[in-house]
Amino acid sequence: MGIAVSGVIFAPITNFDVSVLNRAFALNLQKIEGKLHLLRNPTFDPRNRGDFIVHFRRSHICIMNTDVADDLLFKNDFTSYHLLSSAFPTIERMIFFCLYDSGGSYGYSAFAHGELLRRKVYTVHGGTLKMALRFPSKKNGNRPF
């Protein structure tokens, strides 16, 4: 047992709809209104390709699904970033993340204005930090996040 979650978070956009995810990832998702209680529906799991959780808030949208973030974080495959940035061209910043508590893996990749700013991935099995890039310095006063 433990936490197993991954996905992407970005600033809210107008007219966001599940159909955008369907087009971006070649899926056939259906919108489920309201709250979903995972214990009552054990067949739903955002670690499965077709199971997405999307949280809409005033300050952000969070899309949780293994396929959205894991290839980018663990295989250095930027396909998800390119699909999302094409589907949502007005998004300037995205953070892909994962936390697999039971497996001991965590990480994130932060993008701004089409550039990878910082990336950190840690896996217990490897016991090492896979990759880390520094944020731009504060000297210019232009922090991207």
Side-chain angles (χ1 to χ4, degrees):
M1 286 294 241
I3 297 171
V5 65
S6 62
V8 62
I9 189 166
F10 49 87
I13 57 174
T14 57
N15 300 326
F16 180 86
D17 189 276
V18 72
S19 64
V20 176
L21 291 177
N22 285 336
R23 286 191 306 274
F25 291 100
L27 299 169
N28 188 19
L29 302 177
Q30 296 178 9
K31 187 175 182 179
I32 300 172
E33 293 289 341
K35 294 182 180 180
L36 179 65
H37 299 282
L38 296 178
L39 295 177
R40 294 185 190 156
N41 188 359
T43 60
F44 181 86
D45 186 343
R47 292 174 291 181
N48 297 332
R49 176 169 165 68
D51 295 346
F52 282 69
I53 296 176
V54 181
H55 288 280
F56 298 91
R57 299 290 182 257
R58 276 186 250 154
S59 61
H60 67 273
I61 293 176
C62 182
I63 301 171
M64 290 179 279
N65 174 269
T66 295
D67 285 342
V68 169
D70 283 8
D71 285 348
L72 188 146
L73 295 171
F74 296 109
K75 296 178 185 173
N76 207 30
D77 179 348
F78 285 62
T79 302
S80 288
Y81 172 74
H82 294 300
L83 288 171
L84 288 170
S85 60
S86 294
F88 311 122
T90 59
I91 295 175
E92 296 176 352
R93 297 174 298 212
M94 288 186 225
I95 298 176
F96 292 81
F97 63 91
C98 74
L99 173 59
Y100 297 114
D101 187 42
S102 60
S105 300
Y106 63 88
Y108 62 90
S109 290
F111 291 85
H113 310 287
E115 182 180 344
L116 175 62
L117 297 177
R118 183 170 172 89
R119 179 176 180 187
K120 182 176 183 177
V121 179
Y122 181 83
T123 59
V124 166
H125 303 296
T128 59
L129 184 64
K130 281 191 160 185
M131 179 182 181
L133 300 172
R134 297 178 187 213
F135 276 115
S137 69
K138 291 183 184 180
K139 290 179 184 176
N140 62 9
N142 192 7
R143 293 279 316 231
F145 288 95

